[in-house]
Each structure stands twice: as C-alpha cells, then as structure tokens.
C-alpha cells in the first residue's frame, strides 16, 4: 500500500516492545474468547499459552496454540494494546517469527455503534520455514478491512469502514482460526502511510466568526437537549421518565453556571455515562461557514484513557445533525408523550433510537461525526472544520448523503451535539462533567483536503465489497482498487 500512496511508512511511535514486561505469563496467559463459559475457559488453558520470554538482547511475546479447540467460538485475542491513536495512524506493524506451523494475525475491535460496530484489518498469514527469521507484517486500519453487523442499526448500510476514527476499546490483536503452532511477536509500531493527517489547527487571527450559535450568558436552556441515541434498546427512553427500575442510561443533568474561563457562563452536563447513547446538544440553524468553534472542558476523574504519544486524554465525539435546506425538522415528534412527562422524570428530551425511527417516512435528516482528544480538566479552544466530519447516518430524502458519503453542508445544520464520554478504562460509575462555554460557526483558511484528519474514503463508488456468512456472524470485506483481494474468513 505504501507504494500506491507514493510515500514510505513513517513510524509514529512504539506501542509495545515487551522489554519492560516481566518474564512469564502475559495478560491472561491463554487465548480467551468472551463467549466462553467460565468452565470452558478453564479447560481452554490447556490449548494455548501466552508468555513473555527472553529473545536476543530483549524480550518477545511467545504465543502457542496446540489444539484447534482454542478457536471453538471463533478467532482468539492474545493481546490488548493502547485504545487510541493519533488521526495520522494508518496501520500497525508487527515483527513476527513463526517457530512452528502457521499463524494468521489481524487487529481491530469494537467501534462506536453508529460507526461500523466492529472493524478489523485483513489477516496476514505466515508459515514456519526451515530458516527461522523475523518477518514484518503491516495490518492496515483503513483498507482493506472487514466488519461484522453486531449492534449495527445505524450503520447496516454503511458504504465504508473506519477503525481509527471510531475505536472504542483497547485494540485487539487476534489469531484467525486457521492458526496452529508457535510464534514470537515483537516491536509493535504505529505507522503513518500518508492517508490520515494530524488535526488541523488555526491561529486565533485566522478564525473569522460567521454566526454565534449560543453563549449561555442569558442562562437559558431553551435550545439545549439530552438525546437518547441507542441502536436498539428503546425501553430506556421511556424508563428515563417512568423510573420504575434502576436505569442503565440516565440523561445528563444540565445547568448553566459561571464556572467558565474568566467567569463566563457555561452549559454544564453532569452524570454517569454508559455506551455511546448520552448525547447533549443545541438546536440551531445553519450558516455559510466551513467550521464550528467551541470552548470545552471535560472532568472525568474515573477514566484512564490514553493517546499514544500524548498521554492521558478524554476522547470526545462531536455530532452535527442536518436537514434539507428549507425544511422544518419535526423535533416535537421525537419528544416524550404527555403521559410519559406526567410520570415525573426527568428523562431524555428526544428519542432517536434506530429501532424506533427507522420505519418513519417523515424524518429527513443526516448525522455527521468527528472526534478530538482532550486533555482532562483543561479548557480547550477547538475549531472543527466541516470537512473533517463524516456522514454516519441518513434517512428519508437525506439517505443519499449517507450512501454517497457526501460532505457536510453547514447551511443545513439543525443541531450541534457531543457525546458525553463513556468510560472504557477506569471506574465506569464515576460521574463525568462536560462544560461547554460557547459555540459559533466560523470560516477558516485552507482547502477541504487540508482540513481532514482521520482518513476518509475519497470516493465510495471505488470501493469493492464482498459479503460473507460464517457460523454465527455475517462479515463484509471492503477494499480499494490496488489492495490485494481479501482472503475468505470462513475458516
């Protein structure tokens, strides 16, 4: 792929070289598949082993699979890596030495449910040879890749895959079920191949305000909402008002106070978070702009997320909702009924559960997303170029925006929102506080190509697809012309 891009791989950082890991059992010490019962998991210890061993002047990870029963429920994860990578990360490179048999290795894992549910690189297969030697393999995070359809309501018809843009958990390194033998793993690095780029930045004098969205100086919450945006669990919207049982998902507590920079008013969103469903936003109207500016602070004391090369961070996903220009969007039709409101609540303001809205013919809208990594407890001034948003869903007359992967048009914006960050590392019950000081549409210099960070498919019509059924799981391979055609995963 590097040759196709006209650039040599650039090492961004080392994820793991195992030299600092203690010799002996590593992580769980054996292949583990989450579908196993505890009884089966104990038996599985005899079928595989994972340990850190001396190798040369350092150490390496030794992985052994002695019995194909280790893959009773599918591929096996043998390593968990850092969860978040810079947007210019296009691939992981691993050094592998196969001692016996063969191994098929790939990386990936769960992504945001509105993204692709789960995305993985295509497997790289290596056989043992008479001359034992280290081989470098590159696992591409952009293309070619494959996905499944777990919890994929919003993304079922998605014409593309993204992994790094939507990664939600520690990156997994997996052995495909045709692996049987023993290998060593060392020096796992992240690579830039020229597809993704660092986040665009702008000097203050380069940012021209076009239209103010909100400042909160008047203390009002008229246009602010808590949105419930699950894929299928519709019951929690009603329960947020009824409160007849313990709530899995609660709306954020919203208030305006003067805790912002220089004593300015802010919107403060506070509460425990779970999954990617607790979305807070502001209804607005569009403007002729190519960016959105905001000032934001996140206090997440229970979370311990990290970005390779940057240390502790809080991942923040921002969403923009658009409707066809000139069409009024029926927000009131997403509100709780009078009967639900009478139960007391307070509950979510709008219900955008995919299972609830998918069949409606009167909703014409699309959703766009981008991501940033914030330093915890620091006020951050962000400018989010509209070109850095990618379409994650479209319905009604806006469905083609999603299927064609069309760019965001700022004139059509009806709401700007953010996902209050869900804890994947640390104490999940600890409340999170997201504070937003002000929002504006802005204009910034530069082209759309210069404004994009995470790799985006240049033309979805170029993409090649192959749908594939395997036991208990449907898969979709996606690749671009010039990529090697992916092997079958039906093994």
């Amino acid at each position: 792929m590097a040759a196709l891009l006209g650039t040599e791989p650039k090492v961004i950082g080392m994820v793991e070289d195992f030299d600092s890991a203690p010799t002996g059992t590593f992580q769980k010490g054996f292949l583990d598949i989450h579908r196993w019962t505890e009884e089966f998991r104990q038996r599985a210890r005899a079928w595989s082993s994972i340990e850190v061993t001396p190798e040369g002047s350092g150490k390496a990870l030794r992985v052994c699979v002695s019995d194909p029963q280790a893959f009773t429920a599918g591929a096996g994860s043998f390593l968990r890596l850092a969860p978040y990578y810079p947007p210019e990360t296009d691939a992981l490179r691993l050094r592998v030495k196969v001692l016996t048999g063969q191994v098929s290795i790939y990386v990936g894992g769960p992504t945001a449910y509105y993204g692709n549910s789960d995305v993985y690189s295509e497997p790289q297969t290596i056989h043992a040879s008479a001359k034992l030697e280290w081989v470098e393999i590159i696992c591409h995070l952009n293309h070619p890749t494959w996905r499944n359809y777990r919890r994929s309501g919003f993304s079922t018809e998605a014409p593309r895959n993204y992994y790094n843009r939507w990664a939600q958990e520690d990156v997994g390194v997996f052995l495909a079920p045709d692996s049987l033998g023993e290998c060593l793993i060392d020096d796992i690095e992240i690579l830039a191949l020229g597809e993704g780029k660092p986040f665009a930045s702008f000097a203050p004098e380069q940012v021209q305000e076009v239209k103010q969205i909100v400042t909160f100086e008047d203390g009002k919450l008229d246009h602010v909402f808590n949105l419930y945006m699950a894929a299928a669990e519709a019951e929690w919207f009603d329960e947020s008002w009824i409160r007849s049982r313990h709530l899995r998902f609660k709306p954020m507590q919203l208030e305006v106070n003067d805790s912002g920079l220089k004593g300015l008013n802010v919107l403060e969103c506070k509460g425990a978070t779970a999954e990617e469903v607790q979305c807070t936003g502001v209804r607005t109207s569009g403007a002729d702009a190519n960016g959105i500016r905001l000032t934001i602070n996140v206090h997440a004391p229970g979370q311990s997320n990290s970005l390779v090369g940057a240390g502790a961070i809080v991942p923040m996903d921002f969403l923009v909702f658009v409707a066809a220009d000139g069409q009024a969007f029926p927000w009131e039709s997403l509100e709780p009924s009078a009967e639900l409101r009478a139960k007391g609540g307070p509950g979510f303001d709008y219900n955008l559960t995919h299972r609830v809205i998918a069949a409606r013919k009167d909703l014409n809208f699309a959703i766009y997303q981008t991501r940033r990594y914030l330093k915890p407890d620091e006020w951050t001034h962000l400018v989010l170029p509209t070109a850095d948003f990618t379409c994650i869903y479209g319905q009604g007359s806006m469905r083609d925006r999603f299927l064609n992967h069309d760019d965001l048009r700022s004139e059509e914006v009806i709401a700007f929102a953010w996902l209050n960050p869900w804890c994947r590392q640390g104490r999940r019950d600890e409340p999170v506080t997201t504070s937003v000081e002000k929002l504006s549409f802005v204009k910034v210099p530069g082209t759309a190509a210069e404004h994009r960070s995470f790799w985006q498919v240049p033309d979805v019509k170029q993409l090649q697809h192959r749908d594939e059924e395997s036991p208990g799981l449907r898969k979709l391979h996606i690749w671009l012309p010039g990529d090697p055609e992916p092997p079958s995963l039906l093994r």
Side-chain angles (χ1 to χ4, degrees):
M1 182 184 295
L4 291 174
L5 294 171
T7 181
E8 288 299 317
K10 177 184 177 182
V11 178
I12 301 175
M14 179 72 71
V15 183
E16 180 64 78
D17 61 9
F18 305 103
D19 289 348
S20 62
T23 301
T25 299
F26 184 78
Q27 293 185 357
K28 291 188 177 181
F30 62 99
L31 289 187
D32 184 33
I33 296 176
H34 70 277
R35 300 183 187 91
W36 286 345
T37 65
E38 189 55 39
E39 178 186 1
F40 194 88
R41 183 169 285 109
Q42 294 307 315
R43 287 196 286 131
R45 292 176 182 271
W47 303 332
S48 64
S49 63
I50 305 170
E51 61 180 356
V52 175
T53 63
E55 174 66 20
S57 60
K59 299 175 185 176
L61 187 69
R62 182 184 293 265
V63 183
C64 178
V65 180
S66 57
D67 193 307
Q69 291 184 88
F71 301 106
T72 299
S77 169
F78 67 86
L79 179 61
R80 294 289 177 183
L81 303 173
Y84 299 107
Y85 300 110
E88 61 267 35
T89 300
D90 299 313
L92 295 185
R93 181 166 65 191
L94 301 79
R95 292 178 70 231
V96 182
K97 183 190 290 186
V98 180
L99 306 177
T100 63
Q102 74 171 43
V103 296
S104 294
I105 297 177
Y106 61 91
V107 303
T111 59
Y113 74 90
Y114 53 72
N116 286 110
S117 64
D118 301 284
V119 176
Y120 303 89
S121 68
E122 292 291 351
Q124 305 289 312
T125 301
I126 313 166
H127 302 267
S129 60
K131 181 182 178 182
L132 300 180
E133 58 185 358
W134 287 100
V135 176
E136 289 185 344
I137 64 171
I138 296 180
C139 296
H140 298 284
L141 302 179
N142 298 333
H143 60 94
T145 55
W146 64 274
R147 63 166 293 187
N148 57 34
Y149 291 86
R150 187 177 68 93
R151 59 172 198 164
S152 63
F154 286 97
S155 70
T156 300
E157 296 181 290
R160 74 292 176 267
N161 277 353
Y162 293 128
Y163 179 73
N164 193 29
R165 173 182 286 271
W166 293 322
Q168 290 294 84
E169 300 184 12
D170 294 351
V171 177
V173 185
F174 296 82
L175 290 182
D178 61 345
S179 302
L180 193 62
E182 190 172 10
C183 70
L184 297 175
I185 311 287
D186 196 10
D187 290 354
I188 301 176
E189 300 170 310
I190 56 177
L191 301 181
L193 302 176
E195 295 189 319
K197 297 190 296 292
F199 296 124
S201 61
F202 307 94
E205 63 271 17
Q206 293 180 300
V207 184
Q208 175 188 350
E209 182 165 292
V210 174
K211 176 184 175 181
Q212 181 177 287
I213 296 174
V214 67
T215 66
F216 304 110
E217 286 305 305
D218 61 4
K220 296 180 180 179
L221 293 171
D222 296 1
H223 300 292
V224 178
F225 59 82
N226 275 318
L227 175 73
Y228 182 63
M229 193 179 157
E233 295 175 282
E235 67 273 16
W236 297 112
F237 178 81
D238 288 1
E239 276 295 332
S240 73
W241 288 95
I242 298 170
R243 305 209 170 206
S244 64
R245 52 182 168 145
H246 175 74
L247 288 177
R248 182 180 177 192
F249 304 115
K250 291 181 181 178
M252 302 297 281
Q253 301 170 31
L254 306 180
E255 71 169 30
V256 174
N257 59 45
D258 60 0
S259 62
L261 287 169
K262 300 179 181 179
L264 293 177
N265 278 5
V266 300
L267 170 65
E268 187 176 271
C269 321
K270 185 175 182 178
T273 58
E275 301 285 352
E276 307 104 316
V277 301
Q278 285 152 320
C279 180
T280 302
V282 179
R283 287 184 288 113
T284 185
S285 57
D288 180 15
N290 66 350
I292 296 173
R293 180 174 58 189
L294 70 152
T295 303
I296 187 170
N297 182 303
V298 180
H299 177 61
Q303 300 188 17
S304 54
N305 297 302
S306 62
L307 177 70
V308 173
I313 54 92
V314 179
M316 285 293 296
D317 285 4
F318 298 96
L319 305 178
V320 167
F321 297 79
V322 300
D325 191 30
Q327 292 187 10
F329 185 76
W331 289 106
E332 66 283 355
S333 70
L334 303 176
E335 294 177 348
S337 65
E339 291 78 12
L340 281 178
R341 288 187 182 278
K343 300 292 183 180
F348 289 96
D349 298 302
Y350 300 127
N351 185 1
L352 207 69
T353 308
H354 185 262
R355 180 177 290 176
V356 172
I357 67 167
R360 288 184 55 174
K361 305 298 184 183
D362 61 328
L363 295 180
N364 302 292
F365 74 105
I367 310 173
Y368 287 77
Q369 178 270 354
T370 195
R371 171 176 286 185
R372 291 296 184 269
Y373 302 111
L374 308 182
K375 284 291 184 182
D377 298 306
E378 289 186 12
W379 283 101
T380 304
H381 301 291
L382 290 177
V383 174
L384 307 174
T386 54
D388 205 28
F389 285 80
T390 191
C391 193
I392 59 174
Y393 184 69
Q395 186 163 320
S397 64
M398 305 292 274
R399 182 169 176 265
D400 282 348
R401 302 290 175 88
F402 175 56
L403 297 181
N404 296 332
H405 212 43
D406 288 339
D407 293 341
L408 171 61
R409 306 174 191 178
S410 61
E411 296 87 350
E412 298 174 336
V413 174
I414 57 172
F416 177 83
W418 52 92
L419 286 167
N420 298 284
W422 175 34
C423 183
R424 295 305 299 171
Q425 296 287 332
R427 302 188 304 274
R428 296 189 181 182
D429 293 334
E430 195 77 17
V432 170
T433 303
T434 304
S435 300
V436 176
E437 188 178 89
K438 52 187 175 181
L439 289 163
S440 302
F441 286 107
V442 297
K443 283 189 175 180
V444 290
T447 66
E450 293 170 332
H451 291 170
R452 294 190 178 105
S453 57
F454 295 100
W455 177 71
Q456 293 197 42
V457 178
D459 180 2
V460 293
K461 295 179 176 63
Q462 291 182 324
L463 290 171
Q464 308 292 308
H465 302 83
R466 189 178 75 235
D467 224 354
E468 190 172 280
E469 293 288 346
S470 63
L473 200 62
R474 178 178 157 214
K475 301 181 176 77
L476 178 67
H477 300 267
I478 298 182
W479 68 98
L480 279 170
D483 292 338
E485 183 166 347
S488 173
L489 290 175
L490 294 177
R491 300 169 291 194

